[in-house]
Amino acid sequence: MRSETSSGVSQSTAVAPTPATLAQVRSRPSVQLTPGTALALVGGGTAVVLVVGAVLVSMLLAVAITGASVAFCALVVRSLINSGTKHR
């Protein structure tokens, strides 16, 4: 608060906070979890787990298909090389 003296100079006076105002300042807002919010969180978490799982399984399948393709190509190339040396 500011008060002016008779000379026109303003002086500031400090007001000590009461315990009630200190309690209001120090208290933090709490998160309230309603049943609907909990259900939404569980549903969202389940969706994330399913999507990540599907991505990982598809990557594993891609690696397996690539490995099988490379193995098949190696067999074909080996067969071509062996058949070329037998006919000479």
Side-chain angles (χ1 to χ4, degrees), residues 42-68:
V42 169
T46 303
V48 167
V49 167
L50 289 176
V51 168
V52 169
V55 168
L56 291 176
V57 167
S58 65
M59 289 173 64
L60 181 63
L61 184 61
V63 168
I65 290 172
T66 302

Side-chain angles (χ1 to χ4, degrees), residues 3-85:
S3 63
E4 288 194 20
T5 60
S6 60
S7 64
V9 177
S10 67
Q11 296 176 342
S12 64
T13 56
V15 176
T18 62
T21 57
L22 284 177
Q24 289 174 356
V25 171
R26 289 185 184 160
S27 67
R28 295 182 182 178
S30 61
V31 177
Q32 295 181 353
L33 197 61
T34 63
T37 307
L39 188 62
L41 286 175
V42 169
T46 303
V48 167
V49 167
L50 289 176
V51 168
V52 169
V55 168
L56 291 176
V57 167
S58 65
M59 289 173 64
L60 181 63
L61 184 61
V63 168
I65 290 172
T66 302
S69 298
V70 169
F72 180 73
C73 289
L75 288 175
V76 169
V77 168
R78 186 177 72 176
S79 173
L80 289 174
I81 290 173
N82 286 339
S83 69
T85 58

